[in-house]
Amino acid sequence: MHYVTTIKPFYRSILCRNLKFSTHSQKYEFLRELEIDYENPGLFDGNWGGTGQILHCISPTTESVIAKIQTPTVEETIKAIQKSLKAWYYWRSLPIPKRGEVVRQIGNELRRYQIPLGKLISLEMGKILSESYGEVQEYIDICDYAVGLSRMLPGKIIPSERSQHILIENWNPLGVIGIITAFNFPIAVFGWNNAIALVCGNTTVWKSSPTTSLSSIAVTRIISRILNRHNISGSIATLVTGGSDIGKALAFNKSLPLISFTGSTTSGLQVAQEVQQRFGKTILELGGNNAIIV
């Protein structure tokens, strides 16, 4: 079963080529700005780690290895989800405008790193630069939108049949939200989910595509710096990298009341069925993998 876009056989066949980018060369200086090295931890739950399989990140343009990622094991993923759940109890207790202020600062930090993040997307995913910069801008824009929501999330005051009583409608956060993203929008799709989830009082566990995991690491480093400034646990925005086994661990985990999945219709159907079996909720953005002739 596949829950994310896996590395295609063509790319797997060239993993044996000992080619890599020099992260210290002037051309790829933006990698250093984003704290991306040749070897990177693929788990963040407040601390960076991971002892699972090595994932090779390959440029689709040059077929060269950009970097390596040490992915987490399934057991480490489950523990990271539990840490995010513990952090949720604190995060949900903060006033909504306070959560909005944290998201506002995340948006501002993304503005600072929009150019290097865009370059990383182009390098790792293959988009042209203008599209890559625009993708980061989408995350920035949704942060702005979420900040506005933090000042206007509605509730109702409803008349009661009892004398001198009123009924008050209050929306409560769900808990830990699982976010599984595809390769084609490695940052924007996460941003759409993450900014809204945080403002509403939820924490997130992000499972990124294996082919664009460096982008997720770079974004998570940016978010973690903001959380650290506020003395908030980094497990508010947990990251796990890896293959379908990690995606499956999220889909089956009862601690995740909602899974937001972006990917193929085939994988999305599997995710929907597995989450429904435990009476969870899903947000699905699905499509096909179509061949094109240029």
Side-chain angles (χ1 to χ4, degrees):
M1 296 182 181
H2 298 283
Y3 298 86
V4 293
T5 304
T6 55
I7 298 177
K8 298 178 181 179
F10 170 74
Y11 290 125
R12 283 198 295 266
S13 68
I14 62 173
L15 289 182
C16 60
R17 299 184 187 179
N18 191 24
L19 300 174
K20 66 178 182 179
F21 289 92
S22 172
T23 57
H24 298 287
S25 70
Q26 187 174 2
K27 183 177 180 181
Y28 301 109
E29 186 177 356
F30 63 90
L31 294 176
R32 293 204 307 277
E33 291 183 60
L34 298 170
E35 300 181 48
I36 298 296
D37 209 338
Y38 183 60
E39 296 182 352
N40 304 273
L43 166 68
F44 180 75
D45 59 358
N47 297 295
W48 289 96
T51 62
Q53 295 181 346
I54 299 295
L55 175 67
H56 292 75
C57 301
I58 298 171
S59 168
T61 305
T62 64
E63 302 177 4
S64 300
V65 176
I66 307 168
K68 297 179 181 179
I69 296 175
Q70 181 101 45
T71 64
T73 63
V74 170
E75 292 74 18
E76 289 171 334
T77 298
I78 294 172
K79 289 180 180 179
I81 293 172
Q82 292 306 308
K83 285 188 67 175
S84 188
L85 180 60
K86 290 180 180 179
W88 172 64
Y89 293 110
Y90 169 75
W91 180 247
R92 71 177 185 180
S93 70
L94 294 179
I96 300 176
K98 171 65 175 177
R99 299 198 295 259
E101 172 60 18
V102 174
V103 172
R104 185 188 70 81
Q105 292 183 28
I106 291 173
N108 284 344
E109 197 75 356
L110 289 167
R111 284 182 174 90
R112 287 184 56 200
Y113 290 93
Q114 183 175 13
I115 300 302
L117 280 173
K119 290 180 179 179
L120 176 57
I121 293 173
S122 289
L123 176 64
E124 184 179 38
M125 184 270 165
K127 286 185 178 181
I128 60 175
L129 277 174
S130 59
E131 291 281 346
S132 299
Y133 296 151
E135 183 172 336
V136 182
Q137 185 63 48
E138 289 190 48
Y139 192 175
I140 295 169
D141 291 343
I142 205 68
C143 284
D144 291 345
Y145 176 71
V147 173
L149 283 181
S150 72
R151 295 285 178 174
M152 55 184 290
L153 283 175
K156 293 181 180 178
I157 298 178
I158 306 169
S160 172
E161 295 178 352
R162 300 179 62 186
S163 176
Q164 298 184 13
H165 282 73
I166 59 173
L167 303 176
I168 299 177
E169 178 187 75
N170 184 48
W171 292 85
N172 295 312
L174 285 175
V176 186
I177 307 303
I179 303 172
I180 303 176
T181 58
F183 77 99
N184 56 339
F185 284 89
I187 290 180
V189 170
F190 169 71
W192 301 337
N193 287 272
N194 171 256
I196 302 298
L198 290 182
V199 159
C200 291
N202 303 294
T203 59
T204 64
V205 176
W206 182 12
K207 162 67 180 72
S208 57
S209 168
T211 57
T212 53
S213 296
L214 287 178
S215 296
S216 61
I217 290 174
V219 168
T220 300
R221 289 194 183 279
I222 289 172
I223 295 173
S224 67
R225 286 198 293 270
I226 300 301
L227 297 176
N228 187 56
R229 291 176 194 172
H230 291 269
N231 295 316
I232 296 173
S233 171
S235 54
I236 296 295
T238 294
L239 171 68
V240 290
T241 59
S244 59
D245 57 333
I246 304 300
K248 188 174 182 178
L250 268 65
F252 277 108
N253 198 300
K254 293 181 179 180
S255 295
L256 302 176
L258 170 66
I259 297 290
S260 175
F261 174 88
T262 303
S264 70
T265 51
T266 302
S267 298
L269 178 61
Q270 294 173 347
V271 170
Q273 291 172 339
E274 286 159 5
V275 175
Q276 179 59 42
Q277 285 179 357
R278 57 179 179 84
F279 296 103
K281 302 175 185 291
T282 55
I283 299 174
L284 304 174
E285 183 184 1
L286 310 178
N289 295 313
N290 301 315
I292 60 173
I293 299 176
V294 179

